[in-house]
Amino acid sequence: MRGGHFTLKGSPEVEARISQVVAEAAAVIHAHVRPDELRTLALIGGYGRGEGGVEKRDGVERPHNNLDFLLVLERAPREGLKARLDLVLEPLRERHGLGLDLGVTTVRALRRSPCQVIWYDMRFGHKTVAGDASFLPGLEHFTREGIPPDDVRNLAVNRGTLLIINQVLRDQGAPDEDARRTILRHTAKAIIGYGDALLYFLGAYDWSYAEKRRRMALRHDVPAGFRKLYDEASAFRLEPDYARFAPSELGPWMDEGRARLADVHLTCEAARLSVPGLKWPGYVERALKHSLKEGGLQPKVWLRRVRNGVRFQPKASPELGLRARFGLRLGGPRGVLAAAFPFVAFEVGGPQDAEFARQLLGAASREPADLRRAYLRYWGESGDPNFAHVARKLGLRLGDHP
């Protein structure tokens, strides 16, 4: 394998352990993928960047994050290949007590894919485990300048959804130790995701966690309180300290973080929509009308919109203008989630905004707890196909549609 160390802070022992897991995973994948099918197998994410997290338990260091692999095939995968690989990797997950995530794509798909944050990060931050080491670096259309603003908004919504999960855990009663660890981990991820989005809109995004942390510390145009939060979350990501907050301190800390991220969300949306001084009143109308311009004239974008227009009938508020209603319909389910998100995650806006979210999500009422549960049900149905497993694992009680 090429690419150097896996962590910034880890000892030689934890580096050796990660190397062993990567080698074992590669061997399992090799046993089920023919040589003529494989273009490259890469480790991406934090450990692929060489910036993975390390947790110390009982004096022993261990990897803190999942190991993310990307398998690039020469042609479309054989039917059932991804499911089979996930199945044969399961014993390795259990033996090492680590998450091993595997994405499968093709040479053609990557070469034709529009630039996204995930692909830009992957191009510059990965380790080739097997196959063609020149393929991923050679994807020259994956540049920082090529990342579209709406993809960064989607990143913020994805990470911000972790805060909604946190609040549902809190709604269910005093968090136990597992829930407390989940809340801390989710909050750190959300803060980092929002800081990354803010750096993008300030023209300072980078693929490296360490470089983004350095750049954020120098941004005097970012409130000091958020810079401090981002630095703390970045430190937690590298070396998590789960003993930092007593149970009684967790709630106030969560509330402070949500308030700061609400401000960052509005700042980023003001930049994305080119509306200086944007406020929550009128935000939905502006955002939905703007969505009609996102993606330009790309054929894939318009094909998806046409499909949404034919198949999708959201419960739109009658107060919305015609163009906003049209933008909501063409945006599909993911557009619904993005439109409702700030009013659910941050409880901003007024009663009209809460009612807008209630109608879109089919919530029982516009009470915050009902909106949160409805949002996560919708997220599981239309946003993240793996969320049902996550919800069961976390013990989330989301109820049924009203």
Side-chain angles (χ1 to χ4, degrees), residues 149 152-153 156 193-203 216 219-223 226 258-280 283 341-342 346 348:
V152 179
R153 187 277 314 276
Y194 266 83
D196 293 351
L198 187 55
L199 287 173
Y200 168 86
F201 286 110
L202 292 171
M216 181 63 79
R219 298 298 309 199
H220 297 298
D221 51 351
V222 175
F226 181 75
R258 283 197 308 152
R260 292 196 184 277
L261 293 192
D263 292 340
V264 174
H265 192 95
L266 194 60
T267 298
C268 290
E269 285 293 83
R272 186 177 72 89
L273 303 176
S274 301
V275 182
L278 179 70
K279 303 295 182 186
W280 291 117
Y283 162 74
F341 169 77
F346 306 127
V348 293

Side-chain angles (χ1 to χ4, degrees), residues 36-92:
D36 65 300
E37 293 179 299
L38 174 70
R39 170 57 70 93
T40 190
L41 174 65
L43 181 68
I44 61 176
Y47 296 107
R49 291 175 172 90
E51 300 174 337
V54 177
E55 181 183 6
K56 185 173 287 189
R57 289 193 193 180
D58 301 322
V60 177
E61 290 184 349
R62 54 172 287 122
H64 179 245
N65 312 113
N66 291 356
L67 272 66
D68 300 310
F69 293 90
L70 181 70
L71 174 62
V72 184
L73 301 173
E74 294 286 359
R75 51 191 172 274
R78 288 171 278 127
E79 185 176 356
L81 178 62
K82 171 67 164 66
R84 188 158 57 254
L85 289 172
D86 283 336
L87 183 64
V88 296
L89 285 169
E90 189 57 32
L92 193 60

Side-chain angles (χ1 to χ4, degrees), residues 72-377:
V72 184
L73 301 173
E74 294 286 359
R75 51 191 172 274
R78 288 171 278 127
E79 185 176 356
L81 178 62
K82 171 67 164 66
R84 188 158 57 254
L85 289 172
D86 283 336
L87 183 64
V88 296
L89 285 169
E90 189 57 32
L92 193 60
R93 296 183 181 101
E94 293 180 0
R95 185 162 69 251
H96 290 283
L98 289 173
L100 301 177
D101 295 331
L102 176 67
V104 179
T105 187
T106 65
V107 170
R108 177 184 172 91
L110 281 178
R111 284 179 173 163
R112 293 167 63 93
S113 174
C115 185
Q116 295 178 315
V117 173
I118 185 176
W119 298 138
Y120 164 73
D121 289 352
M122 171 207 68
R123 179 188 171 198
F124 292 100
H126 71 272
K127 290 178 172 57
T128 300
V129 178
D132 182 0
S134 68
F135 177 70
L136 296 182
L139 296 170
E140 296 182 355
H141 61 300
F142 295 151
T143 64
R144 181 175 60 192
E145 295 74 22
I147 299 171
D150 57 298
D151 185 55
V152 179
R153 187 277 314 276
N154 293 341
L155 165 70
V157 170
N158 288 348
R159 295 298 174 84
T161 295
L162 298 173
L163 299 180
I164 299 177
I165 295 173
N166 285 356
Q167 284 299 114
V168 171
L169 287 171
R170 189 179 174 188
D171 292 341
Q172 293 178 181
D176 62 16
E177 181 58 21
D178 285 344
R180 195 178 71 84
R181 287 173 64 91
T182 295
I183 287 169
L184 287 167
R185 187 169 62 251
H186 282 182
T187 303
K189 283 185 177 180
I191 292 167
I192 291 171
Y194 266 83
D196 293 351
L198 187 55
L199 287 173
Y200 168 86
F201 286 110
L202 292 171
Y205 186 79
D206 191 77
W207 62 269
S208 164
Y209 292 130
E211 178 61 18
K212 286 183 288 193
R213 186 181 184 186
R214 186 191 71 82
R215 292 184 182 187
M216 181 63 79
L218 298 174
R219 298 298 309 199
H220 297 298
D221 51 351
V222 175
F226 181 75
R227 293 203 312 271
K228 182 173 182 289
L229 268 186
Y230 186 83
D231 189 69
E232 290 172 347
S234 298
F236 181 92
R237 194 196 172 286
L238 291 174
E239 295 180 293
D241 176 12
Y242 286 102
R244 179 182 171 195
F245 293 100
S248 62
E249 298 173 328
L250 195 59
W253 178 71
M254 291 169 64
D255 293 338
E256 178 192 357
R258 283 197 308 152
R260 292 196 184 277
L261 293 192
D263 292 340
V264 174
H265 192 95
L266 194 60
T267 298
C268 290
E269 285 293 83
R272 186 177 72 89
L273 303 176
S274 301
V275 182
L278 179 70
K279 303 295 182 186
W280 291 117
Y283 162 74
V284 168
E285 186 86 17
R286 288 180 180 274
L288 292 176
K289 288 194 291 187
H290 184 273
S291 70
L292 294 172
K293 302 184 291 185
E294 291 170 354
L297 299 176
Q298 294 182 40
K300 283 187 177 181
V301 172
W302 278 101
L303 180 60
R304 183 178 69 247
R305 289 178 177 173
V306 168
R307 288 199 193 106
N308 288 337
V310 171
R311 303 174 183 173
F312 188 57
Q313 294 281 354
K315 297 177 181 178
S317 169
E319 288 81 15
L320 290 177
L322 181 61
R323 286 178 61 201
R325 292 166 69 88
F326 196 45
L328 182 64
R329 183 170 179 178
L330 296 190
R334 293 304 296 263
V336 164
L337 288 164
F341 169 77
F343 309 117
V344 178
F346 306 127
E347 300 176 38
V348 293
Q352 183 174 332
D353 297 309
E355 178 60 20
F356 168 76
R358 187 199 68 78
Q359 292 178 18
L360 282 185
L361 301 172
S365 78
R366 60 191 191 201
E367 288 298 312
D370 282 337
L371 291 177
R372 287 191 280 267
R373 287 192 294 269
Y375 178 95
L376 291 184
R377 287 196 300 267

